[in-house]
Amino acid sequence: MRSEQEMFDLIGKVAENDPRVRAVGLNGSRTNPNVSKDFFRDYDIVYLVTDVESFRNDPDWVNVFGERMIMQTPDDMALFPNEPGHRFAYLMLFTDGNRIDLTLIPLEEKEMYCREDKLTVILLDKDNDLPALPPPTDEDYWVQRPDARRFADCCNEFWWVSTYVAKGLWRQEILYAIDHVNLVRAMLLKMLEWKVGMDTGFSLSIGKNGKFLKRYLDEDSWKKLLSTYENGDYEQVWNALYVTGELFEPVALQVAAEFGYTYPAEEAEKVKSYLRRVQLLAPDAKDIQ
């Protein structure tokens, strides 16, 4: 695997030798002081350029970065269309294991780029006209305190979607049920995120997809959370649904008490009763594996 210095030297050399590239920025995990340093960290690179289209019209230009295992250009995909814009990204995973996520941004958007992410570091400024930036911080990604509306919406979504899971299980539509367990769990993760924020003064990030959440949960809660990731067994999906509720409600009550919000306890009890009734009427799990 090429070293970090070799990668930065290459990224800088390509930019230096191309007059269309006027500045280079770095974002993401390699500028975040709170992220562990490992070889999976991407090189989240921005080239501020005078002509994005000239790069798009010559897709082979990226070969200069090395032999690729696979590449994706999300701004040019029909299956997952992005909003039309002037920027263009090349996501490149190389055979040596390094990865560069390279975004081309029109030079006229340089001021916007420098303001939009506090994890930005400028590596090259050929024209010496970019603003001075403060040291990088992941402050933009810290857990945000919920207002009363967002808290209420989270609770409502959790209990409302729980009924869809029960319906899917009763109908023996396992994929439908699993998809909705995932939505219920998303609300649980949001509530756990707020609890972590509450306990830490809303001064940190739990990472993309909650990847740092384990650091802030007790061992029993963590094991229960993992048990909600179902395996396609009907009985296990029922269990996952109930465990999400067992985790969600006490945390929601703590968040409600901290901020003076109202937890919909009566509504929750009605839904829990409904779930139990549906399960009693559902086919025996052992008969439908």
Side-chain angles (χ1 to χ4, degrees):
M1 174 180 277
R2 288 169 291 178
S3 70
E4 181 179 69
Q5 189 59 56
E6 287 176 305
M7 293 300 291
F8 278 125
D9 287 347
L10 173 60
I11 290 163
K13 181 180 178 181
V14 172
E16 286 277 13
N17 292 339
D18 194 322
R20 296 171 297 176
V21 182
R22 306 312 304 164
V24 181
L26 176 69
N27 303 90
S29 58
R30 288 187 180 272
T31 67
N32 190 341
N34 296 318
V35 171
S36 299
K37 295 182 178 181
D38 62 37
F39 60 85
F40 282 111
R41 292 180 301 158
D42 306 336
Y43 293 86
D44 293 302
I45 299 294
V46 164
Y47 279 0
L48 289 163
V49 301
T50 56
D51 185 1
V52 172
E53 285 304 309
S54 65
F55 289 96
R56 291 189 64 170
N57 293 335
D58 179 23
D60 292 336
W61 79 273
V62 295
N63 293 342
V64 69
F65 293 108
E67 183 181 354
R68 295 187 303 276
M69 181 189 310
I70 189 171
M71 180 171 74
Q72 185 176 95
T73 51
D75 301 297
D76 200 29
M77 296 180 73
L79 187 59
F80 309 109
N82 286 331
E83 292 294 324
H86 303 292
R87 302 181 179 190
F88 194 82
Y90 295 88
L91 313 183
M92 298 172 283
L93 179 60
F94 301 96
T95 55
D96 68 353
N98 279 301
R99 172 172 162 171
I100 297 176
D101 289 355
L102 174 61
T103 303
L104 304 173
I105 298 181
L107 187 59
E108 56 266 28
E109 294 184 17
K110 61 185 179 183
E111 295 288 339
M112 182 190 307
Y113 166 68
C114 289
R115 292 194 306 267
E116 63 191 18
D117 187 349
K118 290 187 174 69
L119 284 173
T120 300
V121 172
I122 301 301
L123 302 179
L124 174 67
D125 180 8
K126 292 181 180 178
D127 304 313
N128 295 312
D129 62 354
L130 295 181
L133 299 180
T137 171
D138 63 359
E139 180 181 350
D140 288 339
Y141 304 94
W142 289 357
V143 178
Q144 298 297 304
R145 170 177 171 156
D147 57 22
R149 177 67 179 274
R150 287 174 60 80
F151 174 80
D153 288 350
C154 182
C155 293
N156 179 265
E157 179 75 355
F158 182 92
W159 292 111
W160 174 258
V161 178
S162 294
T163 68
Y164 286 69
V165 180
K167 177 171 63 175
L169 292 170
W170 187 92
R171 288 176 170 173
Q172 302 179 36
E173 297 168 346
I174 191 67
L175 296 182
Y176 177 95
I178 288 174
D179 271 353
H180 285 87
V181 168
N182 293 337
L183 298 176
V184 171
R185 190 190 304 106
M187 293 301 99
L188 168 61
L189 292 172
K190 176 58 68 177
M191 193 62 70
L192 289 170
E193 176 184 315
W194 289 335
K195 175 63 165 55
V196 170
M198 186 177 79
D199 292 342
T200 58
F202 294 96
S203 61
L204 51 77
S205 165
I206 63 168
K208 187 176 182 180
N209 303 117
K211 61 185 178 182
F212 302 138
L213 186 59
K214 182 181 179 181
R215 301 176 183 175
Y216 307 101
L217 295 184
D218 61 80
E219 185 176 356
D220 183 60
S221 295
W222 178 248
K223 287 181 178 179
K224 285 183 176 179
L225 176 61
L226 293 183
S227 76
T228 70
Y229 288 82
E230 63 292 317
N231 60 12
D233 177 277
Y234 280 83
E235 186 174 351
Q236 205 277 329
V237 177
W238 274 114
N239 183 67
L241 177 61
Y242 288 132
V243 173
T244 57
E246 292 170 9
L247 286 169
F248 182 87
E249 191 158 55
V251 174
L253 286 168
Q254 291 178 58
V255 174
E258 175 72 15
F259 299 120
Y261 300 156
T262 301
Y263 177 72
E266 182 178 352
E267 187 176 77
E269 287 303 317
K270 290 178 181 179
V271 171
K272 285 187 282 184
S273 177
Y274 170 82
L275 299 179
R276 290 190 292 269
R277 292 199 308 272
V278 172
Q279 186 180 23
L280 288 172
L281 295 171
D284 191 322
K286 295 188 291 296
D287 297 333
I288 53 177
Q289 299 309 309

